[in-house]
Amino acid sequence: MGELLRAGVIGLGMGGGHLAGYLAHPDVEVVAIADRREDRRALLPEKWPDFQGKVYHEGIDMIRNEKLDILSVAVPNNQHRELTIAGLEAGANVLCEKPMAMNAQEAQEMLDTAKRCGKKLGIDFSYRFNPQSRAMKAMIEEGALGNIYYARSVWFRRRGIPGLAANNFNTGSGSPMGSWFYDKAQSGGGPLIDLGVHRLDLALWLMGYPKPAWVMASTYDKFGPRLAEQQGLHYTVEDLACAMIKFENGSTLELDASWASNIRENELQTIRLLGDKGGMYQYNLNEGYTYEVEYYSEIAGRAFDSKMHTAHSVPSAFQLFVDAVRDNTPFLVQPEEGVTVMQILDAVYKSAGTGEPIRI
């Protein structure tokens, strides 16, 4: 084996999973991390005792001082573009958290930089790395659904606004943990850009990433502003978004995402795909983060329903990104797909604001 790949992680919130993934890979040495929050840096010895690298306050300083092969960017959305481009230009291959950027223009700049620098840029759309999702994709590629003409992808919470939920505590920095999620200047949007981005990519990936034609959408903020005001905070994003997306091949996708809604479940995640040969439905179990998949078809002129019994474990995004860099092979999520997602999200917000369909 050659020299170990040098990796660095910016952000120890979502980035904690990145750090753990790299520490578990035999071909990686995690040489540095960066996080502005002292409380997270203080937890390093306890939560990640195998990490022996340098610790930075600022991610940009880590990029400038460390010669990295792999960089993970896991910070608030308004920092994705700057840090990703800096990492690529410094010679690193970058795995960026979702959403790719604040808008499609920023995402395109990141893609263009990766091409110019000859480096890999991956987006951590984590639901592609779910075992059931990968099994669904394999079934679709084998023709189980035939031509997919309709899909609906949903992520609803009854009450689950980051930073305003009952189980969030003050960080000592003057604002609740997660409060940047509902500050549009930092996040770019609410549950659409936080939860919906996952459901959108999953649906597009399973459908074969058809080219979007137009979007008709609405957004609402019925709960967030009131809950924030009760805590002396300011809420500037939606708490529910819904959209109909029409594709050039004639297929249709309905997308729904909400942090707060009057539903029975605390957490509801579903995706339904309809094809001319079969249908498929994935849903979360016990209002949590494990999933079941059902398949519906017709055999000998009769309707049949079946359920997936096993789904083989699959490598994490972090393992696959390391493998892609080491072997110079394609990563499961390409940056062009991240740009498409941002184009659709931009159109959703524009349609909601104008009350009109938006062409992409």
Side-chain angles (χ1 to χ4, degrees):
M1 185 182 72
E3 294 184 2
L4 296 177
L5 295 169
R6 293 169 56 86
V9 176
I10 305 176
L12 289 177
M14 291 298 296
H18 295 237
L19 176 57
Y22 296 144
L23 288 172
H25 200 293
D27 298 333
V28 175
E29 177 187 10
V30 185
V31 297
I33 64 93
D35 196 297
R36 291 174 174 174
R37 283 177 44 176
E38 183 179 356
D39 58 331
R40 284 179 176 163
R41 299 195 303 270
L43 289 174
L44 275 165
E46 175 186 342
K47 294 186 69 173
W48 301 283
D50 292 337
F51 171 71
Q52 301 296 322
K54 295 181 182 178
V55 179
Y56 289 84
H57 181 272
E58 293 293 332
I60 195 68
D61 292 336
M62 185 187 80
I63 292 171
R64 290 168 178 165
N65 294 338
E66 305 291 337
K67 185 174 176 54
L68 300 173
D69 300 300
I70 293 172
L71 170 68
S72 272
V73 174
V75 292
N77 305 339
N78 64 333
Q79 301 173 45
H80 286 187
R81 174 193 170 277
E82 176 191 2
L83 293 173
T84 295
I85 288 177
L88 292 166
E89 291 181 336
N93 301 277
V94 178
L95 178 60
C96 182
E97 263 301 330
K98 62 78 195 169
M100 186 172 178
M102 293 284 280
N103 51 57
Q105 180 179 338
E106 288 189 359
Q108 187 64 51
E109 291 174 13
M110 294 160 66
L111 169 59
D112 292 343
T113 304
K115 289 182 176 179
R116 173 169 55 83
C117 296
K119 295 297 177 181
K120 294 186 184 299
L121 172 57
I123 312 302
D124 185 23
F125 288 133
S126 57
Y127 279 74
R128 293 202 203 184
F129 303 91
N130 172 280
Q132 286 79 18
S133 299
R134 294 287 286 277
M136 292 168 70
K137 182 66 171 177
M139 290 176 65
I140 290 168
E141 289 179 341
E142 290 182 2
L145 299 191
N147 175 48
I148 299 173
Y149 57 88
Y150 171 84
R152 186 182 185 212
S153 197
V154 174
W155 192 340
F156 275 163
R157 288 175 179 166
R158 185 164 186 166
R159 297 291 185 274
I161 301 174
L164 293 181
N167 61 343
N168 279 272
F169 300 94
N170 196 284
T171 63
S173 61
S175 63
M177 186 181 301
S179 62
W180 69 266
F181 280 89
Y182 54 85
D183 175 8
K184 191 169 186 176
Q186 296 185 74
S187 64
L192 175 69
I193 210 167
D194 176 37
L195 309 180
V197 67
H198 281 300
R199 310 311 297 177
L200 175 58
D201 172 74
L202 178 60
L204 292 172
W205 179 58
L206 293 172
M207 296 172 77
Y209 255 85
K211 185 174 176 57
W214 59 264
V215 169
M216 182 69 192
S218 297
T219 59
Y220 303 93
D221 59 352
K222 301 297 184 181
F223 300 91
R226 172 172 51 82
L227 293 171
E229 185 179 6
Q230 290 171 357
Q231 300 181 41
L233 302 168
H234 193 46
Y235 187 97
T236 57
V237 299
E238 82 283 357
D239 53 38
L240 183 146
C242 54
M244 173 179 283
I245 304 156
K246 189 75 174 181
F247 300 97
E248 290 187 356
N249 67 2
S251 61
T252 301
L253 168 63
E254 293 187 56
L255 177 68
D256 301 292
S258 179
W259 281 334
S261 48
N262 288 322
I263 60 172
R264 177 178 60 82
E265 302 89 350
N266 288 319
E267 191 108 13
L268 175 67
Q269 298 179 49
T270 66
I271 183 167
R272 186 181 297 278
L273 300 152
L274 301 182
D276 54 13
K277 291 185 179 178
M280 197 176 289
Y281 184 51
Q282 183 195 48
Y283 51 94
N284 64 321
L285 297 172
N286 303 314
E287 304 178 17
Y289 290 80
T290 56
Y291 303 88
E292 199 96 271
V293 176
E294 295 179 1
Y295 173 67
Y296 317 110
S297 61
E298 188 175 287
I299 302 174
R302 294 168 176 83
F304 276 78
D305 302 342
S306 56
K307 183 177 290 187
M308 187 183 299
H309 283 262
T310 58
H312 304 302
S313 61
V314 295
S316 70
F318 322 112
Q319 179 177 336
L320 288 181
F321 192 70
V322 171
D323 293 348
V325 172
R326 180 196 63 201
D327 302 331
N328 194 26
T329 54
F331 181 57
L332 183 62
V333 184
Q334 291 298 300
E336 289 84 356
E337 296 166 336
V339 172
T340 296
V341 166
M342 292 312 307
Q343 290 172 338
I344 293 173
L345 295 184
D346 286 356
V348 169
Y349 283 124
K350 187 173 181 180
S351 176
T354 63
E356 299 290 339
I358 299 298
R359 284 211 155 266
I360 299 177

